[in-house]
Amino acid sequence: MTIGYRWTRMLSIVVLISGVAGCQRENPVEKSQAPQPSPSVVDQAVRQSVDAIQTPMDKARGVEGTLQDAAARTADRVREGTE
C-alpha cells in the first residue's frame, strides 16, 4: 500500500463518519407553554359576547313584525279614507 492510498482511505473514513454523525438529528426541545386560562372561563366570555350581540338582534326582529303590522294597518286606513 502506498502512502497516498492510506491517506485517501483515512480521509474517506473520516468524511463518512462525520457525514453520518451530521445526519443524525436530535429531537428539538419543546418550549414549555404558559398555562392557558381555563376553557370554561373563555367559553363563558365568548357566550357573553355572543349574547350581548344576539339579544338586541332578537329584539329588533320582534319589533320588525310589529312595525310591518302597523304599516299594514296604516295602509288599510289610508285606503278606507280614499274610498
Side-chain angles (χ1 to χ4, degrees):
M1 287 180 145
T2 63
I3 294 176
Y5 177 74
R6 285 183 184 171
W7 282 107
T8 305
R9 185 175 171 195
M10 183 65 85
L11 182 61
S12 61
I13 291 172
V14 169
V15 168
L16 286 174
I17 291 173
S18 63
V20 169
C23 289
Q24 294 178 351
R25 292 180 50 185
E26 293 182 18
N27 291 334
V29 177
E30 292 186 26
K31 297 178 182 177
S32 61
Q33 296 180 352
Q36 297 285 331
S38 174
S40 62
V41 172
V42 173
D43 290 340
Q44 185 179 9
V46 169
R47 277 190 223 121
Q48 287 175 350
S49 299
V50 170
D51 288 343
I53 294 170
Q54 288 289 18
T55 303
M57 291 175 68
D58 292 339
K59 288 181 181 178
R61 286 186 191 107
V63 171
E64 181 182 16
T66 305
L67 290 176
Q68 287 176 349
D69 292 342
R73 284 193 305 264
T74 303
D76 290 342
R77 288 182 187 160
V78 169
R79 280 190 215 123
E80 289 175 3
T82 58
E83 292 178 353

